[in-house]
């Protein structure tokens, strides 16, 4: 083989560049590639033959990827039509590219699968590298990017609760990313450890929102203690399965939700006459690398390595997925999944992880998520 191309798709994560590092490092050490290329800003860069020469990176610069947020080569959400896949395959064939690695979520895996159909007649091999902070890629146990986003929201929740307990005069509603899947929102429950700093309510997109039930629960909790923290998903939906706040912008699969947390704070003030405010970390939840999970870093790096090894072993049209082994100790194995199994299939929070009666998550979810996130960096004093 002579040339391998890496393409990033969708929103960045705190460990996306770790997968990039793993792929480049493994490809360089294999000696199998004359050129290792990165598409500048995703599919559009590939279409325009706009590439980074990643094989020219020195070891010092390459290692910087392990500590770099975002996507070092750029990513995109470029919509693709049927003719675009054929054009892309033809273009990359003319560039004498033998293999393509696409790093992204279920939308990117959909692109990878469709691109494979067009590329196979040119002999171009395609391999997927999983990435999504939302953790909504199907089949696998979890995706790189989730552990760090979960750790961020858990830390943010813990710090917010400490603040509210210091001045318990209001309800604070914090909004977490997650369009249809509540994995990140649910991770706020991990804020609870020895110091018992746990959110009072967790509102998941898998549970249809009922305003009266919500207000009744807030009123009850407020009567028991002053100062509440509610963590909600941006994608909350009502009984008609419509967003409780009209999206401010929609294009294709991308939805920019309105301020769900602000809406909830507003109805608390109007209906219960309780002071309330909203917080929305937004993109900080995927951009911050200060609280990254070490497990997430290691696993993201490994799937990048294994994607290259799979190409070298002759694999095609697959994604390298993470699967948890049974047992008390956390241990994973990596398996290659046919792309057709992960093309635009979305994994939401299963019922066994949802405590509907208490507006919360179950201990089973906490036990599942804790090893991926790791121990929180806190040792607070309590008088």
């Amino acid at each position: 083989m002579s040339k391998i191309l890496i393409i990033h798709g969708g929103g960045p994560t705190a460990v996306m560049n770790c997968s990039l590092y793993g792929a480049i490092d493994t490809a360089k050490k294999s000696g199998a590639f004359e050129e290792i290329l990165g598409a500048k800003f995703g599919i559009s860069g590939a279409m325009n033959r706009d590439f980074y020469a990643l094989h020219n990176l020195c070891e010092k610069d390459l290692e910087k990827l392990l500590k770099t947020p975002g996507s070092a080569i750029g990513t995109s959400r470029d919509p693709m039509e049927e003719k675009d896949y054929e054009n892309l395959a033809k273009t990359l064939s003319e560039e004498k590219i033998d293999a393509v690695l696409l790093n992204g979520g279920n939308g990117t895996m959909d692109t990878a699968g469709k691109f494979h159909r067009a590329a196979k007649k040119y002999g171009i091999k395609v391999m997927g590298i999983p990435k999504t902070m939302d953790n909504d890629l199907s089949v696998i146990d979890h995706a790189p990017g989730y552990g760090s986003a979960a750790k961020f929201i858990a830390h943010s929740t813990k710090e917010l609760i400490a603040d509210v307990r210091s001045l318990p005069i209001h309800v604070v509603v914090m909004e977490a990313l997650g369009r249809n899947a509540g994995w990140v929102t649910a991770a706020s429950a991990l804020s609870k450890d020895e110091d018992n700093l746990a959110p009072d309510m967790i509102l998941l997109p898998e549970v249809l929102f009922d305003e009266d039930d919500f207000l009744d629960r807030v009123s009850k909790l407020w009567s028991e203690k002053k100062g509440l923290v509610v963590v909600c998903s941006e994608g909350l939906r009502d009984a008609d399965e419509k967003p409780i706040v009209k999206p401010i912008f929609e294009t294709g699969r991308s939805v920019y939700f309105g301020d769900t947390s602000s809406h909830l704070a507003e109805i608390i003030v109007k209906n219960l006459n309780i002071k309330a405010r909203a917080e929305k970390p937004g993109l900080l939840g995927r951009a911050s690398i200060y609280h990254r999970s070490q497990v997430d870093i290691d696993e993201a790096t490994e799937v990048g390595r294994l994607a290259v090894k799979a190409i070298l072993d002759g694999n095609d049209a697959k994604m390298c997925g993470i699967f948890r082994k049974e047992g008390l100790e956390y241990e994973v194995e990596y398996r290659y999944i046919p792309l057709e199994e992960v093309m635009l299939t979305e994994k939401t929070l299963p019922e066994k992880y949802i405590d509907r009666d208490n507006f919360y998550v179950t201990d089973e979810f906490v036990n599942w998520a804790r090893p991926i996130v790791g121990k929180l960096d806190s040792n607070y004093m309590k008088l």
Side-chain angles (χ1 to χ4, degrees), residues 84-133:
D84 296 323
Y85 294 103
E86 175 59 35
N87 291 338
L88 178 59
K90 185 174 183 296
T91 296
L92 298 188
S93 175
E94 290 171 353
E95 291 294 318
K96 302 191 183 309
I97 289 171
D98 305 282
V100 176
L101 308 181
L102 288 107
N103 186 191
N106 47 37
T108 301
M109 294 308 117
D110 183 64
T111 297
K114 291 175 179 174
F115 172 65
H116 161 71
R117 295 167 191 165
K120 59 185 177 182
K121 69 181 180 182
Y122 295 100
I124 300 173
K125 294 190 179 299
V126 180
M127 186 61 55
I129 303 174
K131 174 275 323 172
T132 172
M133 62 160 288

Side-chain angles (χ1 to χ4, degrees), residues 151 154-155 158-159 193 195 289-293 373-380:
K151 191 170 185 178
H155 265 297
K158 181 184 285 288
E159 292 164 351
D193 47 32
D195 51 34
I289 63 170
Y290 181 74
H291 288 308
R292 286 193 305 178
S293 156
V373 171
K375 187 172 178 59
L376 300 190
D377 304 324
S378 62
N379 186 22
Y380 302 154

